[in-house]
Amino acid sequence: MDSFLQKRERIDDVNCNIRLAQNPDGLTFGTDALLLASYVRARPGAAAVEIGGGSGIVSLLCLSRNVVASVDCIEVQPAYAALIEKNSAMNGMQTRLHAFCDDVRHYAQLPDRIGKADVVFCNPPYMKTTGLKNRAPEKNIARHEVFGDIEEITAAAARLLRYGGKFFCVYRPDRIVDLLAALRKNRLEPKRMTLVHADTATPPCLLLLEATRGGRCSAKVTRPLFIYRDPHPQPRIYTEEMKGVMRGEPLPQATE
C-alpha cells in the first residue's frame, strides 16, 4: 500500500501527472473542479489563493500547468486541510502549495494577506443552508453555505486581491443573480462568463465566470460549452473541448 494512504483512502491519477489521495466516502472531485482548473487564465508568475480547497485538486492542476506560481489553499475542515498538505507533498509541490485551515472570512482579514493575491479561484458551496442537508457533515459544509454565503465569499476574495487581480469561479446557473449581485457589490466586475451544458438538448448545468477587482463595466458571454457530443447515445461521448479539459488543456472559452 502507498505510504501516503490512510485507511479508506485511495489514490487516483488525474491529468498533468497529478496523483490525488481521496476518501471515496467523503469529498471527491468532479467535473466542476476540472472545468474550473481549465478556465483559470494563465498568469505564470501569479500568487494565487484558492477558497475551499477540498482535496487540493484545482490548485494542483493550476500549479502543474504553470497557470500560477504559488497557491495558498484555504480549507475550513481540518481533515481536508491535512489532505491538501498530503497531496501537495505527494506531487512535489510543498514549496508552491500551502494549506491553511481557516475560515476564509477570518483569513481575508489578516493584515499581511489583504491585497496580496494576483488570482483567487473558488468552487463555492452552491446551496443555501435551508432545505435538505447531507447527513455527512463534510459534504454538507462543502455543498451548503455553512461557512459563508456567496456575498461573504466574494467579499473575502475582493479583500485578498490586489487592484486588477482576477477572480474565477464555477457556480450554478439557478443562482446567477445572487452571484452577479455579490460580485458587483464587492467591486469584482464580471468580465467573462461561459454556460456549461451536458449536451445540446439540455439547459445549462454550470457556469464559469471571470471577474476583475476594480474592473470597468464590460462583460462577455462566450459561446457555451457542451460536455457530451450527442444527447442520447450510450455510452456518452465527450465533445472535443471536453476531451481537452480531461487532458488538462485550457478551455478555448477562457482564452479566446
Side-chain angles (χ1 to χ4, degrees):
M1 179 178 289
D2 194 300
S3 61
F4 280 94
L5 283 177
Q6 293 185 359
K7 186 177 180 182
R8 303 190 69 78
E9 285 183 353
R10 72 179 189 218
I11 291 182
D12 295 318
D13 292 320
V14 191
N15 57 44
C16 300
N17 298 315
I18 294 298
R19 302 183 72 221
L20 195 74
Q22 299 191 98
N23 181 347
D25 296 328
L27 302 177
T28 55
F29 78 91
T31 302
D32 49 358
L34 297 177
L35 288 168
L36 177 59
S38 289
Y39 202 69
V40 178
R41 286 184 192 249
R43 304 187 78 179
V49 173
E50 181 177 9
I51 299 175
S55 63
I57 180 60
V58 180
S59 291
L60 287 165
L61 289 173
C62 287
L63 289 169
S64 69
R65 303 167 190 171
N66 292 314
V67 170
V68 296
S70 64
V71 183
D72 287 346
C73 202
I74 317 306
E75 173 53 57
V76 74
Q77 301 192 63
Y80 287 93
L83 185 60
I84 293 166
E85 290 286 2
K86 174 187 290 190
N87 283 322
S88 176
M90 186 166 63
N91 288 279
M93 299 283 190
Q94 303 97 312
T95 62
R96 302 177 67 196
L97 173 58
H98 302 283
F100 293 84
C101 187
D102 200 354
D103 185 324
V104 72
R105 295 171 295 182
H106 170 262
Y107 179 89
Q109 299 288 350
L110 299 175
D112 63 337
R113 303 296 177 180
I114 296 173
K116 298 299 175 61
D118 301 302
V119 173
V120 172
F121 48 88
C122 183
N123 183 355
Y126 299 152
M127 304 177 191
K128 292 181 178 290
T129 53
T130 56
L132 293 175
K133 295 180 175 60
N134 198 292
R135 291 183 180 180
E138 67 271 21
K139 292 183 179 180
N140 187 56
I141 289 170
R143 295 171 182 171
H144 293 80
E145 296 175 328
V146 176
F147 286 96
D149 59 22
I150 192 61
E151 184 174 313
E152 292 172 305
I153 289 171
T154 53
R159 281 193 294 272
L160 293 167
L161 282 168
R162 63 170 179 80
Y163 188 83
K166 297 292 186 178
F167 174 75
F168 299 89
C169 74
V170 57
Y171 210 54
R172 284 204 340 195
D174 62 320
R175 297 204 60 196
I176 188 172
V177 175
D178 292 335
L179 174 61
L180 294 177
L183 290 168
R184 176 63 64 82
K185 180 176 181 178
N186 290 296
R187 298 184 180 179
L188 291 170
E189 191 63 29
K191 288 296 182 181
R192 183 179 302 259
M193 184 172 67
T194 301
L195 292 171
V196 180
H197 302 247
D199 52 54
T200 57
T202 57
C205 55
L206 292 170
L207 69 87
L208 296 158
L209 185 137
E210 172 190 343
T212 301
R213 181 175 179 263
R216 294 182 179 181
C217 179
S218 175
K220 175 181 179 180
V221 179
T222 75
R223 57 192 171 85
L225 170 69
F226 299 104
I227 296 175
Y228 297 108
R229 202 168 67 189
D230 300 302
H232 303 299
Q234 296 294 334
R236 307 298 297 273
I237 301 172
Y238 285 132
T239 61
E240 291 305 311
E241 288 175 320
M242 195 62 198
K243 288 178 182 177
V245 170
M246 302 304 289
R247 290 191 297 265
E249 299 169 4
L251 272 172
Q253 287 89 337
T255 58
E256 62 191 15

